[in-house]
Amino acid sequence: MTLNNANGTNGKGPGFLAKIETLSILYVAVFLTRIGFGTILIIFPVYLLDQNGIPISQALSGVILALYPALEGVSALPVGAWVDRRGRRRAFLAGMASITVLTLAISFTRTNIPLVGGAHALMGLSAAMVTISSLTMITDLTVVENRGAGMGAFDLANLSGYGVGIVFGAIAETVFHASLG
């Protein structure tokens, strides 16, 4: 893959390895973010309980699960504008930090459904920050002739993260079924 380089050497001058490293970090971060969501897709329906310790309904579980992609989608344009004004790295780091904090918050409760739903929705906003800033940095770091490959690698990381997360979730649900449900 050829990378953009400010010195006009078509990606072969100083900074070339740093740009490959940055792209790799972006792909790994997106992959790990999506593993989390894929796992949650499987775990939430058996993990979340009402105040009486009874699993919540499938409908409520579906609503909670839908909050993440809904907020990620709705926030994509405003986040994109914010990324352009405030900077790609700032948005990327803020998104990764919030996903970490929100995942930790969700791990402390199984029965506070409003907290879980709100945190999961905000994880969607955080995912938009990571996704939009990553795509923008990929665009900045690649040349036009290789931009499709850069975006293809992003999509590979994105979608394979979901798949790996779903497999992890299925394994965890099977192994920990007695303690989850």
Side-chain angles (χ1 to χ4, degrees), residues 24-167:
S24 298
I25 290 168
L26 297 174
Y27 298 143
V28 168
V30 168
F31 177 75
L32 294 174
T33 300
R34 298 311 187 182
I35 284 176
F37 184 61
T39 302
I40 284 173
L41 284 171
I42 303 299
I43 296 295
F44 265 16
V46 294
Y47 176 75
L48 298 178
L49 307 172
D50 67 16
Q51 294 296 327
N52 300 317
I54 299 168
I56 64 172
S57 70
Q58 288 182 345
L60 182 54
S61 181
V63 167
I64 292 169
L65 287 169
L67 290 172
Y68 177 113
L71 200 56
E72 183 176 0
V74 167
S75 65
L77 287 173
V79 165
W82 186 73
V83 165
D84 286 339
R85 282 193 312 276
R86 295 294 199 171
R88 289 111 164 86
R89 286 191 178 111
R90 178 180 289 175
F92 178 80
L93 293 173
M96 290 300 292
S98 19
I99 287 171
T100 302
V101 169
L102 293 164
T103 301
L104 187 62
I106 288 172
S107 75
F108 287 126
T109 185
R110 295 178 71 178
T111 58
N112 189 338
I113 303 306
L115 172 70
V116 171
H120 195 57
L122 290 174
M123 286 173 75
L125 171 64
S126 302
M129 294 167 70
V130 170
T131 302
I132 301 301
S133 60
S134 294
L135 287 169
T136 307
M137 286 189 275
I138 292 165
T139 301
D140 292 344
L141 293 168
T142 56
V143 295
V144 173
E145 294 82 10
N146 294 87
R147 196 153 295 142
M151 296 300 166
F154 172 88
D155 212 29
L156 174 65
N158 189 32
L159 295 174
S160 61
Y162 278 123
V164 168
I166 290 168
V167 170

